[in-house]
Amino acid sequence: MRHIIIILSSLALFASCASTRGASTTSGGNIHPDRVFTVTEDDIARETLQINRALQGQWTYSGPSVDVSGKNVLASIGKPIAKGKLKKKLKNAFKTLRLDKVKPQFTFDEDGTCAINLLGTSLKGTYNYSPGQDKITFKWHGIPMTARLKRDGKKKLQLTFDADKLLKLFSLASKVSDSSALKALSFLLDNYDDVMVGFELKK
């Protein structure tokens, strides 16, 4: 009789444990993937703020920047030589515009807004930075403009544009289509389709 009672008690205990495990599996073991991998607007906002904090602050022009990446005539004579020659030419054009005296400034805020002081004009707009792609997209007066942005440590940036987009930026700042800015940089329109040109910036 005693053995029967022990066996029955063991079976009852086993059933109880099995039931508990089943309930645990039902309540927490089978979590739907959507509950784990869903990305909310708050998640995106937090990630964006974290990315923008890397750019936050005022960055000042320290010199021209050139990036040769295409297969045009510049690349055929060697990227270092091409970059050096074009950088010198760009530096002279920027001097004509007095950028070495009245230095352009880019100010980025963590909320995604930005301001540029260029040629005595202040442009305010927004930006979207994708560090994994070295890409930044500005929007001024409703006009989107994509550029390449490379960070060099915490205190230096290289911000380069396609030649036609850099001209458009100067055009927005000068507000005159036949301004001295466009005349000084008009050489960029000749055979420079695959070249990125712009600014070296320091914090």
Side-chain angles (χ1 to χ4, degrees), residues 97-113:
L97 299 172
R98 301 184 71 248
L99 297 193
D100 57 326
K101 302 296 183 183
V102 185
K103 298 181 178 181
Q105 290 182 329
F106 290 74
T107 303
F108 298 97
D109 292 322
E110 67 175 21
D111 64 356
T113 58

Side-chain angles (χ1 to χ4, degrees), residues 134-151:
D134 290 334
K135 176 183 174 182
I136 188 167
T137 301
F138 297 99
K139 185 173 283 188
W140 296 297
H141 303 293
I143 301 174
M145 192 177 300
T146 300
R148 182 178 297 164
L149 190 150
K150 295 181 180 179
R151 295 182 61 199

Side-chain angles (χ1 to χ4, degrees), residues 8 29 37 41 56 63-64 72 97 106 127 130 132 139 160 171-172 175 186 188 198-199:
L8 291 175
F37 298 110
E41 291 184 4
Q56 186 179 11
N72 59 11
L97 299 172
F106 290 74
Y127 71 95
S130 301
K139 185 173 283 188
T160 54
S171 180
L172 285 172
K175 298 179 182 179
S186 60
L188 291 172
F199 314 99

Side-chain angles (χ1 to χ4, degrees), residues 23-140:
S24 176
T25 301
T26 302
S27 61
N30 294 331
I31 299 176
H32 196 281
D34 287 347
R35 296 184 182 179
V36 179
F37 298 110
T38 296
V39 178
T40 66
E41 291 184 4
D42 287 342
D43 293 330
I44 295 173
R46 281 193 295 269
E47 180 70 14
T48 300
L49 281 176
Q50 186 174 351
I51 290 172
N52 291 352
R53 286 189 185 115
L55 296 183
Q56 186 179 11
Q58 188 176 85
W59 302 81
T60 303
Y61 170 81
S62 62
S65 182
V66 174
D67 194 1
V68 179
S69 58
K71 297 180 179 179
N72 59 11
V73 66
L74 285 175
S76 68
I77 64 174
K79 289 184 180 180
I81 297 175
K83 287 178 69 173
K85 287 181 176 293
L86 182 53
K87 193 171 184 178
K88 184 176 181 179
K89 202 169 184 179
L90 188 62
K91 186 175 183 179
N92 290 335
F94 283 175
K95 278 188 175 181
T96 301
L97 299 172
R98 301 184 71 248
L99 297 193
D100 57 326
K101 302 296 183 183
V102 185
K103 298 181 178 181
Q105 290 182 329
F106 290 74
T107 303
F108 298 97
D109 292 322
E110 67 175 21
D111 64 356
T113 58
C114 62
I116 298 175
N117 288 313
L118 180 65
L119 300 178
T121 300
S122 179
L123 297 173
K124 295 184 178 181
T126 60
Y127 71 95
N128 189 310
Y129 176 41
S130 301
Q133 302 175 2
D134 290 334
K135 176 183 174 182
I136 188 167
T137 301
F138 297 99
K139 185 173 283 188
W140 296 297

